[in-house]
Amino acid sequence: MEQLEKTRLGALKQPKPSRTKRAGARKSSTGIPRAVRREVFERDGEQCTYVAPDGRRCSAGAFLELDHIQPRAQGGGDEVQNLRVRCHAHNQLWAEQSYGRQHIAARRHFRQQKSMATPAGQDGQAPQREPRPVSEDAFATVVQKACRALEGLGFRKSEARKALDDIERECSGLQQRPALQQVLRTALCRLSAPV
């Protein structure tokens, strides 16, 4: 636990006093100085700070991230006053409220495509290709495998079936149906999208 706090929060038994920006304060991988991260996590009690409309505070203590109250792209800085602790889900919700759902969905799609494509030459292998579409007969097997995979990820069978039924309806007019990877990706986007 001590090692985890040290790497994630920059927690130390005896933290060094933070240096000025001119002296080159040491920053975490997110660009936020470790002293600032420590202070924000300590202030917020290592718990998500989202408060629901009914007044209940989110109880998440895992998958915590630092969230900018005023986003960086809109001029917000990395000061303690502009940061708060949020779970990943509520951080994404705030991003959608700040930038719009379509913008965030486009950025997610871009990151997914970027991570799937490996340029030739970097690791000596050919670039990854999109999976080949499957025939109508093989699509039923793809849907069954996708349903089992979604259940394995923790989704209820009824939720998985509903998402996959919608995808099947959309693909009914196509001569070539999408492969398993594409079906799973689409189903996961639908199941994890905020309502």
Side-chain angles (χ1 to χ4, degrees), residues 26-127:
R26 192 167 179 194
K27 294 185 176 188
S28 68
S29 61
T30 61
I32 299 170
R34 290 181 179 170
V36 172
R37 291 180 68 79
R38 278 194 302 271
E39 191 174 337
V40 173
F41 272 94
E42 195 173 300
R43 178 195 69 203
D44 294 343
E46 295 186 30
Q47 179 184 345
C48 180
T49 59
Y50 178 80
V51 178
D54 65 359
R56 288 185 298 137
R57 181 176 175 182
C58 176
S59 61
F63 304 107
L64 298 176
E65 304 171 349
L66 286 181
D67 177 44
H68 289 79
I69 297 168
Q70 182 179 3
R72 279 182 178 162
Q74 296 174 357
D78 292 339
E79 305 84 31
V80 173
Q81 301 82 2
N82 192 44
L83 295 169
R84 60 187 167 198
V85 175
R86 287 280 171 101
C87 63
H88 180 73
H90 286 123
N91 195 358
Q92 291 299 302
L93 176 65
W94 179 248
E96 287 180 3
Q97 291 170 345
S98 298
Y99 297 107
R101 183 174 283 184
Q102 288 179 336
H103 176 77
I104 297 301
R107 297 298 300 161
R108 273 191 208 119
H109 179 71
F110 174 75
R111 278 195 312 272
Q112 288 170 351
Q113 294 301 319
K114 188 176 176 183
S115 69
M116 287 182 63
T118 307
Q122 280 186 341
D123 58 2
Q125 296 180 357

